Amino acid sequence: MDVTLLGTGAPQGLPRPGCPCAACATAVGDEARAATALLVDGALMIDLTPGPAFAAARAGQSLTGVRQVLLSHPHDGPVMEVPAGLPQPGRVADGRELALLDGHRVRAVAVDIPGTGYEISGATGERLLYLPPGAAPAGPANGNGRTAGGGGTGGTGPYDLVLLDVAARPDALAKLRASGAVDAATDVVAVHIDHDVPPGSELHRRLAAVGARAVPDGSTLVVGEFHAVPDLPRRTLVLGGARSGKSVEAERRLAAFPDVVYVATGGTRDGDQDWAQRVSLHRERRPGSWRTVETCDLVPLLEAARPGADAGRAGVEAARPGTEPGRTGVEAARPGTEPGRTGTEAEAPGTEAEGAGAGPAGGTSPLLIDCLALWLTHVMDEVGAWDDATWEAGGRRALRERTDALVAAVRRTHRTVVAVSNEVGSGVVPATPAGRRFRDELGRLNAAFGAECEQLLLVVAGQALVLRG
């Protein structure tokens, strides 16, 4: 089964008519995209694009063999005319199936916005799923490739090809993965591409990070043919300064995956309204399906999926004798010392505590750790690193043992891990010994942790620079 993409853009196309934004200004050549429309084996057309006959001709195709035209969504772009000779467009009711004379079968898939998705099967069993712009399958996934209620994705096993609005709805891809409709061999192609993501290398980088790709208008895909899917790194460290966008980048990398466990190392600060607001902003930005655990005991979480590991400890705050589990911030530093808050006070991961590792996927769910700087602050509190005498009497050694244990756990982990940390070594030299100590130890931790990661990113002004991977 061949699928020719006559267009791959949003309903208004890319660039949008009259839009002066940078994304539209740079959408030229292969990055210029007409409204998404599919031509399946020259016989079935899904959605319309401006000048479909010319679009087909540019792709080396013809519309003379089209026997059915189906629409997936209420069109809100430029007025589309149906070329002479094409059948009048129609729509299949949710859950209903249409059998075509050439052997294709089309089943309507209910989606969570006005519109209809289509599951298309070829005569020899190839299967693809096409979703309209901004849509995800309706209903909760039940784990067998079909959503509850009978209107969702169906079939037996994963699709060979999925075309959906990955950039706008990464949660739709997460839902398909959770249901088994998408696996590591599924070719995931982004369509309905709009001007919300810069075209070119940044678009392709973001898509590759979630296991998807984009192709130019006019591309023909062979459904079921092997295509090398992006190689997703298992361990990623995202570095950046305060308000650089590093947490957003980390969250974006896992937005298309199910059962993510968000590990918040920041704790709570009674009476600190600014901190509470920062926590709230982080919490609101995360997908509602993610689970959150507040802890600085990271080693059990990293080892939860390792054979023989004690997964039951995952997500449990393992308070050591003489310490308080809630002392995860800088407020626990010893009196008279300045805790090394450099690079940490601006960060506020969410703090609602839930049981990470609970449920059937708990031991293998991806982890997002935000952030290592606050983890280090907590550990330095516990070992007495802010007091010079305590530091020299054993605090330095105790800190090394804790950081070495964390780095070793990252090296051994079988889980997908995205960790966030502050880059604080490029700014002003801290005025106090405690501040300089924190800066130095965080630099060492970042280097050691990053050495165990397949991918390392530095985020500057919201732009991710790939340092490795």
Side-chain angles (χ1 to χ4, degrees):
M1 184 164 59
D2 294 343
V3 177
T4 299
L5 297 172
L6 304 181
T8 57
Q12 296 187 37
L14 184 68
R16 289 191 176 193
C19 179
C21 78
C24 287
T26 54
V28 297
D30 285 347
E31 301 301 332
R33 304 175 186 276
T36 298
L38 279 59
L39 181 62
V40 181
D41 285 336
L44 170 65
M45 189 170 177
I46 307 290
D47 286 334
L48 292 171
T49 194
F54 291 106
R58 287 194 297 269
Q61 303 288 337
S62 170
L63 301 184
T64 57
V66 174
R67 297 292 178 263
Q68 185 79 49
V69 179
L70 297 176
L71 300 180
S72 74
H73 61 95
H75 187 75
D76 59 358
V79 175
M80 300 289 185
E81 294 185 2
V82 181
L86 280 185
Q88 279 299 116
R91 190 170 286 164
V92 181
D94 289 348
R96 300 294 296 273
E97 192 169 285
L98 176 68
L100 305 184
L101 293 177
D102 60 0
H104 294 95
R105 302 186 73 85
V106 181
R107 193 175 71 87
V109 175
V111 294
D112 60 359
I113 63 170
T116 304
Y118 292 110
E119 177 188 286
I120 304 170
S121 302
T124 55
E126 306 93 343
R127 298 167 59 241
L128 72 86
L129 176 67
Y130 171 74
L131 297 179
N142 63 16
N144 64 358
R146 185 182 295 272
T147 53
T153 56
T156 54
Y159 291 105
D160 299 296
L161 172 66
V162 170
L163 304 117
L164 77 163
D165 194 348
V166 179
R169 291 296 303 271
D171 60 306
L173 183 52
K175 192 170 189 177
L176 292 169
R177 283 181 166 131
S179 71
V182 167
D183 69 1
T186 301
D187 190 9
V188 179
V189 176
V191 290
H192 313 301
I193 297 170
D194 208 348
H195 65 172
D196 298 321
V197 177
S201 58
E202 178 63 10
L203 170 66
H204 297 291
R205 185 193 69 80
R206 291 191 190 184
L207 293 175
V210 297
R213 64 185 180 116
V215 297
D217 287 7
S219 299
T220 296
L221 310 177
V222 179
V223 182
E225 181 179 70
F226 172 78
H227 184 278
V229 297
D231 187 15
L232 300 176
R234 188 151 50 83
R235 288 158 291 211
T236 301
L237 176 61
V238 183
L239 298 170
R243 290 297 182 267
S244 62
K246 60 187 179 297
S247 292
V248 172
E249 172 66 26
E251 291 162 10
R252 185 185 293 133
R253 300 183 74 80
L254 291 177
F257 296 90
D259 302 319
V260 173
V261 176
Y262 184 101
V263 184
T265 62
T268 58
R269 301 181 183 181
D270 294 338
D272 191 333
Q273 294 301 316
D274 179 66
W275 182 259
Q277 184 178 15
R278 295 171 193 270
V279 168
S280 178
L281 290 175
H282 274 249
R283 186 179 301 158
E284 291 171 3
R285 197 172 60 217
R286 296 197 296 269
S289 61
W290 287 11
R291 290 170 289 156
T292 302
V293 58
E294 177 190 337
T295 185
C296 283
D297 199 12
L298 302 182
V299 172
L301 286 168
L302 292 166
E303 294 183 339
R306 187 165 57 88
D310 181 8
R313 291 187 64 220
V316 178
E317 179 68 36
R320 289 163 179 78
T323 66
E324 300 174 15
R327 296 174 66 200
T328 56
V330 296
E331 67 275 15
R334 282 171 172 70
T337 66
E338 179 187 336
R341 294 188 67 190
T342 304
T344 64
E345 57 267 62
E347 308 307 315
T351 58
E352 67 272 28
E354 297 179 16
T364 57
S365 300
L367 294 181
L368 196 163
I369 301 172
D370 196 354
C371 69
L372 295 182
L374 292 174
W375 177 87
L376 180 65
T377 302
H378 172 75
V379 176
M380 291 180 73
D381 287 346
E382 290 194 332
V383 303
W386 313 116
D387 180 76
D388 291 344
T390 305
W391 175 249
E392 296 299 335
R396 186 200 306 271
R397 183 179 63 256
L399 181 63
R400 292 287 182 275
E401 292 173 352
R402 298 283 291 278
T403 55
D404 288 350
L406 175 62
V407 171
V410 173
R411 183 182 183 90
R412 297 191 303 264
T413 189
H414 290 263
R415 302 182 83 151
T416 296
V417 178
V418 177
V420 178
S421 190
N422 293 80
E423 177 51 59
V424 299
S426 301
V428 177
V429 176
T432 66
R436 292 192 292 272
R437 184 170 299 152
F438 176 82
R439 177 203 60 183
D440 294 346
E441 294 303 326
L442 183 58
R444 293 187 182 99
L445 174 61
N446 288 344
F449 195 104
E452 304 299 339
C453 294
E454 290 84 354
Q455 189 163 66
L456 191 60
L457 305 174
L458 175 65
V459 181
V460 180
Q463 305 303 303
L465 308 176
V466 179
L467 305 180
R468 179 198 299 148

